[in-house]
Structure formats: C-alpha cells, structure tokens
Amino acid sequence: MEKITKKVLVLVLDNKQYFYELISCDINMYSVYRELKPLEKLFLNKRGRFYNLVPLFLGKWIEELNNIEHIIVFDSAYTTDVGKYIKYHAPKCKLILYFYNPILAEYQKSYLSDKYIDEIWSFDRSNAEEYGLKFNSTFYSFKVPKTIHKKIKEHDVVYIGRDKSRDAVLTEIEEALKQSKCSYWFHVVKAESDYMNYNEYLSFVLSSKCILDITQKGQSGLTMRSMEALFLEKKLITNNMDIANYDFYNSNNVFIIGMDDYTNLHSFLCTPYIQVREDIISKYDALEWIKKFVGEKQ
C-alpha cells in the first residue's frame, strides 16, 4: 500500500483511544490536547472557551504546523478556538473537519458555518447529502491483530457499547437469539465503571463469531463495529440498512435487522464466514481513508 506524499496531520480527542495508537505514527495522528489535569479537563469541557488560553492545552502537533499542508480534525476534537489557532499560525494549511458522529447537536451544526474550516466531510452518507458535505466512510487498520492471548469464553454474538436508548432493539435481538438457541454476551455501558479498554474489548470480539451493531436512530454511517467485522473477519448483525450499499456487503456475512428474517438467524450464525477480497478491505484502511481527503490516487 503506497504511502501518502502530502503532509497531513490528523487531530482526534485522544490518540490512545481504540486502535489509534497503532496507527498514530503512520498517519501523523495526534491528540488535540496534551495530557490534561482534572481541573484543566473541567475547563475544556465548557463550550465557552478563551482563545488566549487554548495554546496552553494543545498537544505536540502545534510543533508540526509549519510543515503541514492538510489538517483533518474530528468533530469531537474541534472547537472554533482550535480552528482559529491553526489558521493564525498556518494560514495556507487546508483545515478539514470530519464528522465521525451523526450531526445532531446544535454545537455540531454551528461548525457548518465556521469561517476557519475549509472543507467539511461526514462519515454518514445521509448527513452528507442533507448538509451538502463531502463523504468519506469510517476507517480501520490492518495493524489491529486478529488473534488474542487472553482466554475469553466464546459466544456466538457479542455486543459491547453505550446505552444511547438501544434497550428496545437489544431486547428484540436477545429474544431472537434465545429462540435461535444461540449464545450471546451483551455488555451495556451505563456508567464510567462499566468501561473497558480497547484491548479488553477486542478479546471479547475476537472470541465471538459475530458482532452486534446497533446504530443511533437516523444514522446511516458505518460504525467502528462494522469495520471490526470486516477487518477481523467476523459476522455482523446490524440495524444499519445502508450497509447493503457497500462493496464489502455479503448477505452470508451481514444480517440486517428489518430486512432479514429472524427465523434465518440460526443458519446465518452457523454458516462459515466468507472472506472478503483484500483489495476491497484495503479501501477502508486508514491510509486510503486519508488519501480521499487530499485527492491522492487510491
């Protein structure tokens, strides 16, 4: 896979989350803020920020600004003050905002008219169409290992995620799995004590046949769970009907709630996973994801 020739920097809220630390060097991914003390976190959690103080909290990426042509900032990491800092110190740098979440909150919508942003992209095709944005799907990485050393009890289906009003769908799926005599393990995160780190999360995913993915109402963008299923060669149960429009979709590997019949759930989980061609999977790798933003040939 060819490397990126243009000088690009990616800013996320925390580059140690998920699998980001594995790819941070390859794609110049940084945390937007340095490691913060509790009181500093409290200050930055307030949406009303003070521009003169923002540089005190920014991460090491500010040392790279003179050499950068493009900066891609995730919506969860962006504030107008960050945009203002970038444009003041690197006015020729193209600032790209990437919505990695559905556009729901008013502060997210305010970014659509932010004068410091040069381009806005979304992971969600319907959001991109609604707001006239560019589209770039969710990404993952070949660097995430497909094997584990920690022994976890195997299940047919595993779900680990935040509540986000998903109880009704989870109950429906649970009943269908019981009827199909399939084993499952659901871990709903409702409090900070329920969180697990990504490596621990992966140990459950890699010990299962299938990942359950429940998207928020109105969301059509692919979640990280759909990428995990693709890269880690796991089956997927999802309520995201738009997944059928992607090139990696295979009804043998993906069960779509609301489209597929629950009476076929047992046979879906019992049939072997059909491997997706590597040239298709590679389109969703982090390096190819960046190339779409900067216009480099894939």
Side-chain angles (χ1 to χ4, degrees):
M1 195 177 295
E2 294 182 7
K3 290 196 173 183
I4 303 156
T5 59
K6 293 183 180 177
K7 296 173 181 176
V8 184
L9 192 151
V10 180
L11 298 182
V12 295
L13 197 58
D14 183 356
N15 71 341
K16 292 182 175 154
Q17 280 187 321
Y18 311 124
F19 60 94
Y20 293 162
E21 201 164 14
L22 295 173
I23 62 173
S24 288
C25 293
D26 290 341
I27 66 170
N28 294 327
M29 178 179 277
Y30 289 84
S31 300
V32 68
Y33 302 115
R34 60 173 170 76
E35 192 169 345
L36 300 173
K37 298 173 183 176
L39 283 177
E40 292 174 332
K41 284 183 181 179
L42 184 62
F43 173 81
L44 286 172
N45 279 334
K46 304 293 183 183
R47 288 277 162 199
R49 305 184 182 185
F50 303 93
Y51 174 67
N52 290 335
L53 295 178
V54 164
L56 298 175
F57 305 116
L58 298 180
K60 291 184 178 180
W61 59 271
I62 61 176
E63 300 168 9
E64 305 286 333
L65 276 181
N66 291 335
N67 303 313
I68 296 299
E69 297 173 76
H70 297 75
I71 296 182
I72 303 163
V73 190
F74 281 41
D75 63 295
S76 57
Y78 185 77
T79 66
T80 297
D81 287 339
V82 169
K84 187 176 181 180
Y85 182 90
I86 291 169
K87 282 302 181 179
Y88 181 81
H89 292 276
K92 293 182 180 179
C93 177
K94 179 179 279 190
L95 178 55
I96 299 168
L97 179 68
Y98 179 61
F99 277 104
Y100 193 51
N101 298 287
I103 302 173
L104 301 172
E106 288 305 313
Y107 78 86
Q108 290 174 307
K109 293 176 183 178
S110 71
Y111 296 157
L112 300 174
S113 56
D114 190 298
K115 65 180 180 180
Y116 301 110
I117 299 169
D118 297 303
E119 286 183 2
I120 304 180
W121 296 61
S122 174
F123 87 115
D124 189 291
R125 210 191 311 262
S126 61
N127 273 179
E129 291 174 357
E130 180 179 358
Y131 295 105
L133 312 178
K134 294 187 176 184
F135 170 73
N136 195 357
S137 180
T138 314
F139 65 96
Y140 204 63
S141 174
F142 285 114
K143 287 196 166 188
V144 178
K146 293 182 181 179
T147 58
I148 53 170
H149 300 292
K150 185 177 180 181
K151 184 64 179 174
I152 298 291
K153 183 181 177 182
E154 294 183 1
H155 294 90
D156 291 322
V157 181
V158 65
Y159 172 82
I160 304 170
R162 285 182 289 175
D163 185 6
K164 290 187 177 179
S165 303
R166 294 177 171 127
D167 283 352
V169 182
L170 286 173
T171 300
E172 178 184 313
I173 290 293
E174 185 176 25
E175 185 58 35
L177 289 169
K178 284 179 181 177
Q179 292 291 329
S180 302
K181 295 182 169 51
C182 298
S183 64
Y184 61 92
W185 188 74
F186 294 172
H187 179 73
V188 180
V189 176
K190 294 187 176 181
E192 191 172 339
S193 58
D194 297 327
Y195 280 92
M196 60 178 69
N197 64 46
Y198 195 65
N199 285 335
E200 188 178 1
Y201 165 82
L202 276 178
S203 66
F204 285 97
V205 168
L206 291 169
S207 297
S208 70
K209 289 182 183 178
C210 179
I211 302 170
L212 174 59
D213 169 47
I214 307 297
T215 61
Q216 297 180 70
K217 186 176 181 181
Q219 177 180 327
S220 66
L222 297 176
T223 62
M224 191 181 296
R225 290 183 188 87
S226 56
M227 291 290 97
E228 289 161 350
L230 177 62
F231 278 75
L232 303 177
E233 299 179 4
K234 298 293 178 181
K235 291 203 172 195
L236 182 73
I237 298 173
T238 181
N239 63 340
N240 185 353
M241 292 192 179
D242 194 53
I243 203 168
N245 297 317
Y246 285 84
D247 52 2
F248 62 81
Y249 171 75
N250 182 324
S251 59
N252 180 84
N253 296 340
V254 182
F255 184 98
I256 302 177
I257 301 167
M259 183 182 298
D260 296 318
D261 196 322
Y262 279 137
T263 58
N264 298 325
L265 190 55
H266 184 269
S267 59
F268 167 78
L269 290 169
C270 288
T271 54
Y273 179 90
I274 295 178
Q275 194 166 12
V276 180
R277 295 200 326 260
E278 188 169 317
D279 63 305
I280 292 177
I281 301 173
S282 65
K283 294 178 185 179
Y284 301 90
D285 182 74
L287 287 173
E288 298 302 319
W289 175 79
I290 285 185
K291 288 177 184 178
K292 291 181 183 178
F293 289 110
V294 301
E296 293 195 2
K297 186 177 180 180
Q298 297 185 67

